[in-house]
Each structure stands twice: as C-alpha cells, then as structure tokens.
Amino acid sequence: MTVDVLRRPALADRRARLAVAVLFFTNGALFANLLPRYPQIKADLGIGNAAYGLAVAAFPAGAITAGLAAGILVRRFGSARVAVGGTLLTGVGILAAGLADSVVVFAAALFLAGAMDAFTDVAQNAHGLRVQRRYGRSIINSFHAIWSIGAVTGGSMAAAAIALGVARGPHLLFSAVVFSVAACVALRHCLPGPETEAEPAAEKGAEPAAEKGAEPAAQTGAEDCAPSPLRVPAAGLRTGWVLAALVLIATAGTLVEDAGMSWATLYLSDSLHATAALAASGYVALVGAQFVGRIVGDRLVDRFGQRAVARSGALIAAVGMGLALAVPTVPGTVLGFAAAGFGVATLVPAAMHEADELPGLKPGSGLTLVSWLMRLGFLLSPPVVGLVADATSLRVGLLVVPLAGVLVLLCAGVLRPRRS
C-alpha cells in the first residue's frame, strides 16, 4: 500500500467531498419532487396510459440525446460548473413540466430536464472521481448512496406537499430554489483548477487507480467521461457475449428503477385507490430500500461475490414484486417496490465494473457502452408499459419488474464469483 493511500485528506479535499455529496443529493431530490405529481398531471392533461408513457419517456430521451455532449462541456467549463449549471436548468425543466397545460409542453419540459440531468450526472461523477483520486481510495459509492437519500427526501417532500394541499407551482418552485441555492453554495467548495490537472496521487508517483483495483477513476474522468461508443475496437466473440449480458443486467436494473419512477404512484392511486399522499410511498420505498442495498452491498460482495449477490437480489425483486402483483394490496405493493429496489441496488455498479475490465477493449470502452445502452431501459420502458396497460391493465404492465429479476438470474453467470 502506498503512502498516498494512507495520508489524511486535506481540509480542501474533505470540503470538496462534502460539496460533491450535496450535488448528488440535490440531483436525486429535484426530480423526485415531480414524480408523485404525475397522477395529477396525467389527470389534468386528460391523457391515457400510452400517451402518458410516451410523454414521460421524453426525460430519458433528452438524457440520451445530450449525454455525449456532457464531456465537451466538462472539458471546456469544468465538471463543478457544469454540474451546478445542469442542476439549475434541471430545476427549470421540472418546474415547467409541473405547470404544463398540454402534453406537448409536458414532454418538451421533461426532455429539457432529462438533457440537463445528463450533464449534471456526468459532471458530478467526474468531479467525484477527482476527489476520489485525492483521497486515494474508493468513495464514489457513497455519493450514489447519498443520491438515494436525496431521492427519498424529494419524494417525501412531494408527499407532504400533496397531503397539505400545496399546489404544484409553489411546491416545485420552492424545491427548485432550495436545491439550486444548495448547489451554488456547494460550488464554492469544489476542487479548483482544470479537469486535466495533476492530482496529488499522480504527483507522488502512486499507482493509477485502475491498477490498484479502485474505481476506474483515471479512465472515467473529464477527458473520457463521454467517449463515443463507436470507437470500441472489435473484440472476441466471448467478450461480445459477456458485454451483451452485462448490458442486459444493467438494463434490468434501470427497468425496475423506471417502474418506480414512472408507474408506482400511478398504480397505487389509480389501480389500488390509495390516497395521493400514500401513493407516493411506493417510489419512496423503492429508493429507500435501494439506498440500504447500496450501503450494505460492498460488504456483501466482498463476502459472497458479485454473482451470488446479483442472483439473490434478482430473486428478491422477482418474488417480492411478483407476490405484490399477484395479491394486490396497498401495503403489499409498497413492500413489493421496496423489495425490488433492494434487489437491484448493486446491478448497475456491478455491470459497469465488470465491463470496464473486459479484455480486448480499450480502457473505458466497455464502461461507456454499458452506460450508454442501459439508458434504453429508461427510454423504452414507459411507452411499452403504457401500451400494455392500455391493452390490459397497469398491473400486467408492471410484470416488467419480476421479469427483469428473471433476466438477471439468467445473465448473472458473467459476474465474478466469490474470491477464494
């Protein structure tokens, strides 16, 4: 172990870590304030499930469209500034979506929010990896756990606003202002200097992060945070199959997340006739359980291996949500969404980590492909579930959750087993 790993982080580094944590928190909280309002927006706009599914798919469509441009902005303006700027504009898009008086405006506002959210996502991860390199050890997972706390907080704020009868406009304006101010304050404590500056670990001759088995910081920093998937060289047949399986695993995780984001509140309120405030608890339960899964996930992986953890989580998600759909009750459905969130907590990080270490690919290429392609789950899931719901019922459409668990069970063999 190098001296750099053991050194105590400087005060500026600790402040930067807190600042990045604030950025992740605000990113999770902003959009979560809108999600419990979806049933009201759908009812006010007078649209069916299919049109609603297409409209909410505008958010991931915006993220996919803008995703590759994030790297250019980070290199030009710096990751911290892009993260904060994206946060401010995400708040504007969410407020516009909440006040939309037509489905076109609603979808356009979500497209803007999704595009800005993609900028924030790439930039805050890039800055978090800068801080991680200064720490000399992995801390990136803690930021994602804090994102989950932010999402729970945002969903709870929305549920409280609904219970108190606060209109969407004042509620979402308050949310946008509070979290935008928090992000601007965090900017003052982010790391200064360009993204290409030499970090202390590199200056002291420490091993690159990838060689030390840490998160792929050096390969996913500002220079490569959004490389084109088209640059991936041809790999062996086995590598291609493994990469495809990893994409399916990551996509399964996003399908479950989207079910909570786009449909949990609607299913509880419309199909199970829960009150508006109680209906918000489905998404909150999913994200809260996902946070718990991320907190304990590293220890479980170290003890049992990523393959066993993924399979166990997939089984929990499939059985938990399957039972909730088979015997539909409000408490059972909330618990079903919680089981789904806990079960998929480690899937996306696991797929990204495995893809980044695939042989025959340039550094960061596998990670980029998985990150890019898994967004299709967010893009395709809402309209598909909406079409199924209109043809049958939303209860049938939500079978995508247990089916995602089955998909992971079939593909998890490509993940690493327990270390001997």
Side-chain angles (χ1 to χ4, degrees), residues 7-16 134-135:
R7 72 181 181 90
R8 178 178 173 80
L11 178 60
D13 299 338
R14 297 199 299 273
R15 287 178 175 174
R134 287 175 173 261
Y135 266 67

Side-chain angles (χ1 to χ4, degrees), residues 202-274:
E203 292 172 353
K204 295 185 180 184
E207 297 172 283
E211 295 178 5
K212 290 188 285 187
E215 292 289 328
Q219 293 138 347
T220 55
E223 300 86 356
D224 298 305
C225 57
S228 172
L230 299 178
R231 297 180 183 176
V232 179
L237 182 60
R238 183 182 183 281
T239 298
W241 280 112
V242 171
L243 186 61
L246 293 175
V247 170
L248 290 176
I249 291 172
T251 302
T254 63
L255 288 174
V256 174
E257 290 183 26
D258 180 74
M261 290 170 54
S262 300
W263 301 104
T265 304
L266 194 64
Y267 177 66
L268 283 164
S269 61
D270 287 4
S271 300
L272 302 183
H273 309 293

Side-chain angles (χ1 to χ4, degrees), residues 41-386:
I41 295 173
K42 178 176 178 291
D44 290 346
L45 296 179
I47 56 178
N49 288 323
Y52 166 79
L54 288 171
V56 298
F59 187 90
I64 291 175
T65 302
L68 292 180
I72 299 173
L73 294 176
V74 167
R75 288 192 294 271
R76 182 167 183 178
F77 300 106
S79 56
R81 291 180 179 178
V82 173
V84 174
T87 298
L88 301 181
L89 293 175
T90 299
V92 172
I94 289 173
L95 177 60
L99 297 177
D101 57 0
S102 70
V103 66
V104 174
V105 175
F106 178 58
L110 286 181
F111 186 92
L112 170 65
M116 297 304 103
D117 181 77
F119 292 159
T120 301
D121 185 43
V122 171
Q124 69 187 9
N125 275 284
H127 205 79
L129 290 168
R130 282 188 65 191
V131 177
Q132 176 174 276
R133 290 196 290 274
R134 287 175 173 261
Y135 266 67
R137 57 184 172 86
S138 177
I139 59 173
I140 195 69
N141 287 327
S142 67
F143 294 137
H144 287 270
I146 290 171
W147 183 94
S148 296
I149 296 177
V152 171
T153 302
S156 300
M157 286 175 59
I162 293 171
L164 294 173
V166 179
R168 287 198 302 271
H171 160 223
L172 294 176
L173 177 61
F174 174 80
S175 169
V177 171
V178 167
F179 295 121
S180 294
V181 170
C184 291
V185 172
L187 178 61
R188 295 170 55 89
H189 301 287
C190 288
L191 295 176
E195 300 303 308
T196 56
E197 69 173 345
E199 305 293 357
E203 292 172 353
K204 295 185 180 184
E207 297 172 283
E211 295 178 5
K212 290 188 285 187
E215 292 289 328
Q219 293 138 347
T220 55
E223 300 86 356
D224 298 305
C225 57
S228 172
L230 299 178
R231 297 180 183 176
V232 179
L237 182 60
R238 183 182 183 281
T239 298
W241 280 112
V242 171
L243 186 61
L246 293 175
V247 170
L248 290 176
I249 291 172
T251 302
T254 63
L255 288 174
V256 174
E257 290 183 26
D258 180 74
M261 290 170 54
S262 300
W263 301 104
T265 304
L266 194 64
Y267 177 66
L268 283 164
S269 61
D270 287 4
S271 300
L272 302 183
H273 309 293
T275 63
L278 182 58
S281 62
Y283 173 70
V284 173
L286 184 144
V287 179
Q290 189 180 57
F291 164 74
V292 174
R294 286 171 173 169
I295 288 294
V296 303
D298 288 333
R299 294 181 181 179
L300 293 175
V301 169
D302 288 340
R303 183 168 184 178
F304 301 107
Q306 189 61 258
R307 183 184 301 173
V309 172
R311 283 175 171 165
S312 300
L315 187 62
I316 291 172
V319 173
M321 197 62 194
L323 289 175
L325 294 173
V327 186
T329 64
V330 172
T333 300
V334 172
L335 290 175
F337 277 111
F342 182 83
V344 303
T346 65
L347 293 185
V348 172
M352 289 182 171
H353 179 266
E354 296 290 340
D356 194 57
E357 298 189 352
L358 279 176
L361 298 178
K362 291 182 179 179
S365 295
L367 176 64
T368 300
L369 273 174
V370 170
S371 298
W372 178 257
L373 292 175
M374 77 175 187
R375 290 183 181 270
L376 293 177
F378 283 117
L379 178 63
L380 298 177
S381 177
V384 169
V385 173

